[in-house]
Amino acid sequence: MLDPARQQKAWEYNKLSRRLLFLELGIGAVLLLALLFTHASAMLASLLTFPSPWSAPLYLLILTLGYGVVMAPLGYYQDFVLPHRYGLSTQSVAGWMKDKVKALVLGLLLGLCLVTIIYWLIENLPTLWWLAAGLIMFLLSLLLTWLTPTFLIPLFFKLKPLADGELKEKLLNLFQRAGVDIKECLTMNLSSKATTANAMLSGWGNSRRIIISDTLLQGYSMDEIEVTFAHELGHHLHHDIAKLMAIQAGTFLLVFYLANLALKAGVALFSFHGIIDIAGLPWLILVLATLILVTRPALNWYNRRVELAADETALELSSNPRAFVSLMTRLTDQNLSEAAPAPWVKLLFYDHPTYNERVKLAHTTQASSVQNSLSSAE
């Protein structure tokens, strides 16, 4: 059974988190629109006399630093104060700042490279820049997916192979039953920074790894851990990473195509000197962010279907619906997830099935198994 007190905290925490997110998005949109309608963007662009496309990354750097200063108090409250208040984080201020700097540097380098490439494409391929940009974004996402378990996660957490023992033997037997050869199973020291628990299938090709947090290893039974690995094996068996990459490619192309149309409309709306004018960079950022948000519900819907299919495989491989329900119940309470979010919350924010949906699946599977057993006995 779910803990009512934890579910009350989950409702409060997620409600506050959503409000802060909406506030962050609102402030960002207002700042970008203010730059455009006050002509501050045009004035800033006129001061950057570097030839295109090199003025674009400099503009983005100034914009990012200014935005970071304005949003620093909200970011500190949102990412540090709130998780500590609800017992989800154990990280020190120094550790949190170190991680923020790493993430900022990575994000900034990526952003500067992308904006340079985009404005180079706009200048040299004015009619098809959106197609090339979408393809480049897809290739970049492939690279980042490949690097996630070997480079990106190790920047923030220590990874090590799962230790030999009874649990590893149990999991190896699971892999054999599934007919899967996983290159390596790794543990992540999530407990050094958080009280939550998690597991994931990460990477693709020869970098693919199953990663499980030490908080899950230390606090859950072998049967529950086996179900966790069975779920991740479900993703592997269904080739979910490849499917999601294909959908991501289509999404990138659609988003950049629509962004191209919006950028052309912005030339007349804000009196830009063509779509190559870097004064239009705030407009491009605003349009891309809006389009990503608009496509999010559809992507969430598809991802929930993928996760439910992996749950079905986990129940089939483990033949242990009781452990599945126990796992989901404990994770929901531990991670302060809402068991039954409002429909609009599920639509906008949930890329995994809700707790109630997953438990219903387990009960249906268990009832079907009992019915089949009775039929066989007859």
Side-chain angles (χ1 to χ4, degrees):
M1 295 293 291
L2 289 169
D3 183 346
R6 293 292 293 177
Q7 278 301 292
Q8 177 63 28
K9 290 185 71 174
W11 179 81
E12 294 172 0
Y13 173 75
N14 285 283
K15 182 179 179 181
L16 283 171
S17 296
R18 289 192 293 268
R19 286 181 175 178
L20 291 171
L21 176 60
F22 288 136
L23 178 60
E24 180 184 4
L25 294 174
I27 292 174
V30 168
L31 290 175
L32 291 173
L33 289 171
L35 283 172
L36 294 166
F37 283 104
T38 63
H39 303 291
S41 182
M43 288 188 289
L44 177 58
S46 67
L47 298 176
L48 304 177
T49 57
F50 297 93
S52 179
W54 308 114
S55 55
L58 182 56
Y59 187 111
L60 180 64
L61 180 62
I62 295 171
L63 192 63
T64 302
L65 293 178
Y67 177 79
V69 170
V70 172
M71 299 299 293
L74 179 61
Y76 172 73
Y77 181 81
Q78 184 178 21
D79 297 336
F80 184 82
V81 174
L82 198 62
H84 278 78
R85 177 184 297 176
Y86 283 87
L88 295 177
S89 177
T90 59
Q91 201 170 19
S92 66
V93 175
W96 176 78
M97 286 293 296
K98 184 178 178 181
D99 281 352
K100 292 296 287 185
V101 170
K102 289 180 185 177
L104 176 62
V105 170
L106 285 173
L108 192 56
L109 287 175
L110 184 61
L112 294 176
C113 290
L114 282 175
V115 78
T116 303
I117 292 171
I118 286 173
Y119 274 87
W120 184 90
L121 291 172
I122 290 175
E123 182 178 22
N124 292 277
L125 293 171
T127 58
L128 292 176
W129 73 268
W130 60 271
L131 179 60
L135 293 175
I136 289 172
M137 279 294 297
F138 171 63
L139 293 175
L140 182 61
S141 70
L142 287 180
L143 176 63
L144 292 176
T145 300
W146 186 73
L147 289 174
T148 295
T150 58
F151 175 71
L152 295 179
I153 293 179
L155 280 177
F156 300 93
F157 296 98
K158 292 181 180 179
L159 298 179
K160 62 180 182 180
L162 183 65
D164 292 334
E166 185 180 354
L167 175 61
K168 189 170 183 177
E169 289 297 322
K170 188 179 184 69
L171 297 178
L172 287 175
N173 290 332
L174 174 67
F175 297 162
Q176 290 175 359
R177 294 200 305 272
V180 172
D181 181 22
I182 294 294
K183 200 168 191 64
E184 195 172 16
C185 298
L186 303 174
T187 62
M188 175 176 64
N189 66 330
L190 185 59
S191 63
S192 64
K193 301 177 183 181
T195 62
T196 55
N198 197 11
M200 69 190 80
L201 176 65
S202 182
W204 64 275
N206 61 6
S207 78
R208 185 173 296 162
R209 304 287 191 276
I210 290 180
I211 300 174
I212 187 167
S213 69
D214 58 352
T215 47
L216 202 152
L217 282 174
Q218 295 163 5
Y220 289 71
S221 70
M222 285 193 185
D223 285 345
E224 290 166 339
I225 294 171
E226 181 185 35
V227 169
T228 303
F229 273 82
H231 173 90
E232 301 307 327
L233 282 178
H235 288 308
H236 178 83
L237 292 168
H238 302 156
H239 308 288
D240 288 336
I241 290 180
K243 293 176 184 177
L244 291 171
M245 284 179 176
I247 290 176
Q248 198 174 53
T251 303
F252 282 140
L253 291 176
L254 175 63
V255 165
F256 276 101
Y257 172 72
L258 296 175
N260 177 52
L261 299 180
L263 201 55
K264 290 178 179 178
V267 172
L269 183 61
F270 300 107
S271 301
F272 298 143
H273 302 299
I275 62 173
I276 191 63
D277 190 351
I278 62 166
L281 182 57
W283 177 242
L284 179 60
I285 293 173
L286 184 61
V287 167
L288 288 174
T290 301
L291 290 172
I292 290 171
L293 288 174
V294 168
T295 58
R296 194 70 224 169
L299 294 175
N300 283 344
W301 172 83
Y302 179 77
N303 206 71
R304 287 195 298 270
R305 289 173 58 89
V306 166
E307 293 295 333
L308 270 180
D311 284 346
E312 291 174 352
T313 300
L315 289 164
E316 180 182 345
L317 289 175
S318 65
S319 301
N320 197 341
R322 183 182 294 274
F324 180 89
V325 172
S326 175
L327 170 71
M328 293 303 163
T329 301
R330 297 181 66 187
L331 282 176
T332 299
D333 279 339
Q334 183 173 351
N335 295 347
L336 289 186
S337 300
E338 292 180 90
W344 71 269
V345 173
K346 175 184 170 182
L347 180 72
L348 295 179
F349 296 100
Y350 271 60
D351 59 0
H352 280 59
T354 65
Y355 168 80
N356 288 348
E357 289 172 328
R358 302 180 99 164
V359 169
K360 181 180 178 181
L361 174 65
H363 289 161
T364 301
T365 301
Q366 187 173 29
S368 177
S369 178
V370 170
Q371 183 63 41
N372 290 338
S373 298
L374 292 174
S375 298
S376 298
E378 292 174 357

